[in-house]
Amino acid sequence: MVYSAAMLRSSAGVLAALALVPQCLAAPFVSEATTTFSSDASATPPVVAVTNVTSHGRYTGPVPTTTGALSTDVAAPSIPLLPPEEFKLKYPADGKLHETQPAPYTPAGGLGTNGTEPVYRVISDFDYESVALALYQEWIELDLFHWGLAAFSTEEFEAAGLHAEERFLLEYMGDQEVGHATVLSNMLGERAPVQCTYNYPVSTVREYIDFNQKLTRWGEAGVYGFLNHLDSRETAQILLQSISTEARQQLIFRQFDGLFPMPEWFQVGIPQSWAWTLLAPYISSCPANQTRLTWQNFPPLRILNQPNPARINGSDVWNETTSAYANSLSTANISATEGCLHVLNGTEDCAPAITQNRTNPLSYAGRQIFLEWDDPGYRTGPNNSYVTSTSAGTPRFVAFVTQLNVTYAPLQGINGNSAYVFQPNSSTLEGDPAINGTIFMALTDDEIPVTPFNLTQLNTHVNALAIYQAG
């Protein structure tokens, strides 16, 4: 700290006065901060080049000359389920140290703890394809957050309960994506995916907000699913610090959507192919030399009675979504008496708020959920250049993927590509209903026992995918 002469003189006078006061233990001293120096700003790394995406809508260009996921020689049709590695069961976990410490206050073990200089770049095909997928997600968020502010008027936002402060927060979240796109591009190198054009299935502010909260859910969950599998621990560290911001964005969009902000104890992770399946349909076109991805695109699962957060009774609904995959809400058929945005009754209100606790739940255990799904073989993604596929057999179950759980329920009333299922009653832990919040549903041919760390093992059994608005 730098002291000025005036401050020293003032302090000396106070100390002299205190010497005359018997048994004085302390005395308040109030002063104003004095600026005594200034410094130039440090050098700031530049951000990635960002362009204003001027085209939005479905792809209408020529038939692509390159189709399908990026691929090379494939060693096997799937990765087998194996027993646990024995060494992972041997550590005693008794609270004592069992190996020589490499340094004071440092226990043995850990990854990337040997003192070598960190290298923040991808170091394997798995790393590259995973981070490239995350970058595709960051690019669409950057565009989507800013696009909404330009597409809808101030009056439309105000009518949806989103005022100047909320709109500035939305703008700021879009600016955050510039930083995320920059660091991911830097870790990938020169062939990192760039901005594309996009299509959004929304026509009102409420539809826009709901689509955002679902899109950020699969963006967040998609990174959680691969983060701890990356070979580059340094890259994983940067991704962790960016996806933690996206988790906050998802919570904020739930608040904007009039939903309880975090109705779960744990956040779900999903495989890369699930995230790409859900994201790709909303990318219209990319430059001709765009880096392609290796991940699978599954067919869409349509939830015919997807709960609608814009309704007073959001569970009592039929065919009110604007697109497959995201299954985001539609406001088209909601009358003034059925909508919950401007309801004076506080128990039925769903206006943007720090938190909302709905009297009528969006879903519940035992709810009958009606489903339809597509066969594989349809074009999707940038320039319609990817093709939906599945290696699964006949659909027999629905996997509800949420928090730490994968809970199966049998399909019933199967008629061609339609059926229904009853929402299971399951909990992650006592007091934490598992099926809550914005979750994932997968149509499967079998009940494969999987956990958060090996959920990818389910891919060969998946027929179709969807987002489900459980709460």
Side-chain angles (χ1 to χ4, degrees):
M1 180 175 180
V2 179
Y3 295 91
S4 68
M7 291 171 63
L8 292 173
R9 285 195 299 271
S10 175
S11 298
V14 172
L15 291 173
L18 289 176
L20 301 176
V21 181
Q23 299 180 341
C24 180
L25 300 179
F29 175 67
V30 180
S31 66
E32 295 183 0
T34 302
T35 302
T36 59
F37 67 93
S38 62
S39 62
D40 295 331
S42 59
T44 304
V47 297
V48 68
V50 176
T51 60
N52 182 23
V53 178
T54 57
S55 174
H56 291 87
R58 293 188 176 277
Y59 178 71
T60 58
V63 175
T65 57
T66 302
T67 59
L70 184 67
S71 182
T72 182
D73 295 334
V74 179
S78 64
I79 298 173
L81 279 167
L82 301 173
E85 297 169 294
E86 289 188 12
F87 79 91
K88 294 182 179 178
L89 304 174
K90 292 182 177 180
Y91 182 72
D94 56 7
K96 300 178 181 179
L97 297 177
H98 297 276
E99 295 183 45
T100 301
Q101 293 180 253
Y105 314 109
T106 306
L111 299 174
T113 60
N114 61 0
T116 56
E117 181 180 353
V119 178
Y120 295 97
R121 69 185 301 271
V122 293
I123 59 174
S124 67
D125 288 348
F126 185 91
D127 287 1
Y128 192 100
E129 293 298 315
S130 300
V131 176
L133 167 62
L135 181 53
Y136 269 96
Q137 178 77 25
E138 303 294 359
W139 281 130
I140 196 173
E141 289 170 355
L142 190 159
D143 179 73
L144 176 61
F145 299 171
H146 287 301
W147 173 84
L149 291 169
F152 299 106
S153 67
T154 297
E155 291 75 19
E156 288 173 300
F157 273 105
E158 295 277 342
L162 298 170
H163 306 294
E165 292 85 355
E166 289 83 11
R167 295 195 299 276
F168 178 76
L169 177 55
L170 177 58
E171 180 183 359
Y172 183 77
M173 288 192 289
D175 294 341
Q176 288 175 325
E177 300 307 326
V178 177
H180 299 171
T182 297
V183 296
L184 268 59
S185 296
N186 290 345
M187 291 189 295
L188 288 168
E190 293 182 358
R191 290 305 307 273
V194 298
Q195 286 177 284
C196 300
T197 65
Y198 308 98
N199 65 89
Y200 306 129
V202 303
S203 57
T204 67
V205 170
R206 196 61 188 262
E207 292 175 356
Y208 168 71
I209 293 299
D210 189 68
F211 180 67
N212 273 289
Q213 73 93 359
K214 289 178 167 67
L215 180 135
T216 50
R217 166 55 81 209
W218 74 63
E220 175 191 356
V223 172
Y224 292 155
F226 70 72
L227 190 63
N228 287 305
H229 294 287
L230 291 175
D231 291 298
S232 170
R233 307 313 302 158
E234 300 95 325
T235 298
Q237 180 66 44
I238 300 300
L239 270 173
L240 174 64
Q241 293 179 241
S242 65
I243 206 61
S244 297
T245 301
E246 184 153 333
R248 290 161 170 79
Q249 294 173 350
Q250 205 275 334
L251 180 150
I252 288 167
F253 281 121
R254 285 185 60 87
Q255 292 173 317
F256 285 179
D257 212 6
L259 296 168
F260 192 79
M262 45 179 181
E264 62 279 300
W265 291 5
F266 304 91
Q267 300 307 322
V268 65
I270 58 172
Q272 296 97 322
S273 288
W274 295 28
W276 180 234
T277 292
L278 295 166
L279 169 63
Y282 306 105
I283 305 175
S284 299
S285 64
C286 295
N289 61 346
Q290 177 80 323
T291 296
R292 299 182 65 78
L293 297 181
T294 192
W295 309 114
Q296 187 173 4
N297 296 90
F298 294 103
L301 177 62
R302 294 178 179 83
I303 304 171
L304 300 182
N305 58 336
Q306 168 81 314
N308 190 332
R311 282 186 169 274
I312 292 175
N313 188 356
S315 183
D316 185 12
V317 64
W318 186 261
N319 198 24
E320 287 190 356
T321 57
T322 59
S323 72
Y325 291 114
N327 284 273
S328 51
L329 71 80
S330 169
T331 59
N333 297 318
I334 302 178
S335 69
T337 58
E338 295 170 327
C340 55
L341 184 59
H342 300 294
V343 174
L344 298 179
N345 182 343
T347 61
E348 296 179 340
D349 170 59
C350 68
I354 292 175
T355 185
Q356 291 277 23
N357 196 8
R358 302 177 70 104
T359 300
N360 300 310
L362 290 178
S363 78
Y364 46 86
R367 181 175 189 261
Q368 190 174 14
I369 306 170
F370 295 92
L371 307 170
E372 287 183 353
W373 59 93
D374 286 356
D375 290 324
Y378 286 90
R379 296 288 183 90
T380 187
N383 308 84
N384 283 341
S385 64
Y386 292 81
V387 182
T388 60
S389 67
T390 177
S391 58
T394 302
R396 298 170 53 217
F397 301 93
V398 171
F400 291 79
V401 181
T402 170
Q403 302 196 59
L404 308 180
N405 292 40
V406 177
T407 305
Y408 293 93
L411 278 180
Q412 301 186 43
I414 300 174
N415 181 15
N417 283 25
S418 65
Y420 62 86
V421 67
F422 290 103
Q423 184 168 318
N425 184 6
S426 64
S427 295
T428 306
L429 296 169
E430 184 178 354
D432 176 29
I435 300 175
N436 205 348
T438 308
I439 72 167
F440 301 90
M441 290 175 62
L443 198 66
T444 70
D445 66 356
D446 204 352
E447 299 175 283
I448 303 299
V450 289
T451 61
F453 196 69
N454 72 340
L455 186 57
T456 303
Q457 296 290 149
L458 190 58
N459 282 358
T460 54
H461 300 276
V462 171
N463 298 91
L465 286 173
I467 287 270
Y468 180 56
Q469 194 64 60

